Amino acid sequence: MASHGLTYEGCNFLRQRLVLSALSGKRVKIKNIRSKDDEPGLRDFEANFIRLLDKLTNGSTIEINQTGTVLVYQPGLLYGGTVEHDCNPQRSIGYYLEALLMLGPFMKSPLKATLRGVTNDLTDPTVDLLKSTALPVMKKFGIDGEGFDIKVVKRGMAPGGGGEVVFTCPVRKTVRPVQLTDPGKIKRIRGVAYSVRVSPQMGNRIVESARGILNQFLPDIYIYTDHMKGANSGKSPGFGLTLVAETLNGCFLSAEMSSMPQGQGDPILPEDLGRNCAKLLLEEIYRGGCVDSSNQSLALLLMTLGQQDVSKVLLGPLSPYTIEFLRHIRDFFQIMFKIEVQKPLEDERKGGDKVLMTCVGVGYSNISKTLK
C-alpha cells in the first residue's frame, strides 16, 4: 500500500489525524510541529499517545525526525487485544480514551485496555463523562455487548494522577446507520460528585448546591457521591462533579467541572463548583441536539463509517474541534456532510439553533475481523 498519503502542518488536531489515518489506512505526514517554539517538536503526551497507538496496531511504522517537528505515520492493522498503558499526566486519561472509543469497535480482537494516569482534570473530558455519554452514543450505532464498559478502578486527580481505568470493547463487523432527529424533552438528571483525599463532606456540599439550581426545573434528580479512599484515591487531592441529563428519546447531554489542581490557581468552593456545573448543564441543554458537544465528532465518525445508507443526526452548534474534524473526514474518507441549520420557532422552548447533519456512510467494514 504505497499510497501518497496526506500532509498536514502544525500540532493541532494530532489525535484526529492519527485516528483517521489508522481507520482509513492512509499514510499521514505532519510537519512543522511547533517549529517556531522555544521547545520545538512533539510534547511528551503526544509521543505517549503515539506509543499507545503503536501498541494497538500491528505493523505500523512511525518516523519522527530528530527535533520532533516532523512525524510520518503509516498505519498497520488494528489489532486490539489486551493493552496496558501509562498515560502522561500532562493530559487526563480522557484524552487517550476518546481515541480508543473511535478505534475500539474496528479491532481484530476485542479490546481490553488498562490506562493509568489522571482520571479527572480541567482540560479533557473526564472518564465519568465518557462513560455516561459516549457509550450511549455508540450503542445507538449498534456497538454494544456484554463486554462494553468503562470501569474506574482508581481515581487520580491532576497533577499527581495515580488513577486507573479499564475500557473493554467488543468488535463489530459493520456500523448501522442512525436517524437521530428529535432529542425529546429532558426527563431526568443523574450525576456523580467525586472527592479524593479531601473531606467526604465535600461531595454532599457539591450535591446540595447543584440540586438547589436544578430542582427548580425537574424533580427527578439523583446525584450520588463517590468518595474513594486509600490506594484507590490516587496521589492528589481534589473533587468535582459530572452531570448528565437524559431525554425521553434516550439522548444524553452532559456537563462537568473539577477543582483546581493542588498548587495551581485559586481554590474553588464546592458550593460554587456545584452551582457553576449546574449552570453549564443548563447551557448544554440550551445548545441541545441528540449528542452533546463533547461527543459530536464521535457521532460524526460513526455516521461516516456506517453502511451505505443515509444517517441523520441533529446537533447543537458545532464546536471548533468538530468543524476541523469534518474537514479531516473529507480528506480521509471523501465524505461530505449535508448541513442544514434549523432555527426553533419563537414560541417553542427548544433552545438555540440546531444543525441537522446528513451523510451517506462509506460502508466501512472491519477488514481485520476474521470470519468465524
Side-chain angles (χ1 to χ4, degrees), residues 129-350:
L129 183 89
L130 291 173
K131 179 178 172 125
S132 50
T133 60
L135 298 190
V137 168
M138 293 172 75
K139 285 178 182 166
K140 289 205 180 346
F141 287 89
I143 300 164
D144 200 1
E146 288 178 7
F148 188 46
D149 194 21
I150 297 175
K151 269 201 183 69
V152 184
V153 186
K154 300 176 181 174
R155 274 192 196 284
M157 299 292 287
E164 185 176 313
V165 176
V166 179
F167 169 53
T168 48
C169 182
V171 284
R172 281 288 165 268
K173 186 97 172 103
T174 51
V175 180
R176 71 164 177 239
V178 295
Q179 305 275 332
L180 301 173
T181 50
D182 178 22
K185 291 190 163 65
I186 304 287
K187 65 172 175 181
R188 59 171 168 222
I189 294 176
R190 295 287 176 264
V192 51
Y194 52 86
S195 53
V196 290
R197 300 197 173 270
V198 290
S199 152
Q201 201 51 42
M202 292 289 191
N204 305 340
R205 286 165 63 184
I206 296 173
V207 174
E208 274 189 25
S209 59
R211 291 192 67 126
I213 287 187
L214 298 172
N215 270 119
Q216 298 169 30
F217 304 99
L218 202 67
D220 185 0
I221 297 176
Y222 190 75
I223 307 172
Y224 67 98
T225 53
D226 175 13
H227 180 72
M228 285 198 167
K229 298 192 185 73
N232 289 353
S233 64
K235 296 173 181 166
S236 300
F239 51 86
L241 173 64
T242 301
L243 291 173
V244 180
E246 187 184 343
T247 68
L248 289 168
N249 296 349
C251 299
F252 295 84
L253 303 168
S254 62
E256 61 178 1
M257 276 193 86
S258 305
S259 57
M260 283 303 251
Q262 190 183 15
Q264 298 171 24
D266 296 327
I268 182 170
L269 283 171
E271 283 79 7
D272 294 344
L273 184 130
R275 267 194 299 276
N276 293 347
C277 191
K279 286 175 186 161
L280 278 178
L281 183 70
L282 296 176
E283 170 101 357
E284 187 65 55
I285 290 171
Y286 176 80
R287 295 178 58 152
C290 296
V291 178
D292 68 344
S293 42
S294 59
N295 292 304
Q296 285 175 348
S297 47
L298 176 66
L300 294 173
L301 176 75
L302 293 171
M303 285 168 74
T304 305
L305 298 177
Q307 289 155 12
Q308 289 176 325
D309 199 349
V310 177
S311 279
K312 289 186 181 189
V313 173
L314 185 71
L315 299 176
L318 300 180
S319 67
Y321 188 81
T322 308
I323 292 168
E324 196 60 41
F325 192 75
L326 286 168
R327 292 183 184 134
H328 283 126
I329 283 182
R330 186 189 60 200
D331 294 349
F332 283 97
F333 289 106
Q334 284 76 53
I335 285 283
M336 301 277 270
F337 280 79
K338 180 175 160 207
I339 302 176
E340 298 165 78
V341 177
Q342 298 193 339
K343 291 193 181 297
L345 301 170
E346 292 281 308
D347 53 345
E348 273 190 312
R349 301 177 71 174
K350 286 275 180 75

Side-chain angles (χ1 to χ4, degrees), residues 52 55-56 80-85 100 111-115 167:
L52 174 61
K55 287 181 187 173
L56 295 170
T82 306
V83 176
E84 293 205 5
H85 188 69
L100 289 190
L111 179 66
K112 180 181 183 210
T114 307
L115 303 173
F167 169 53

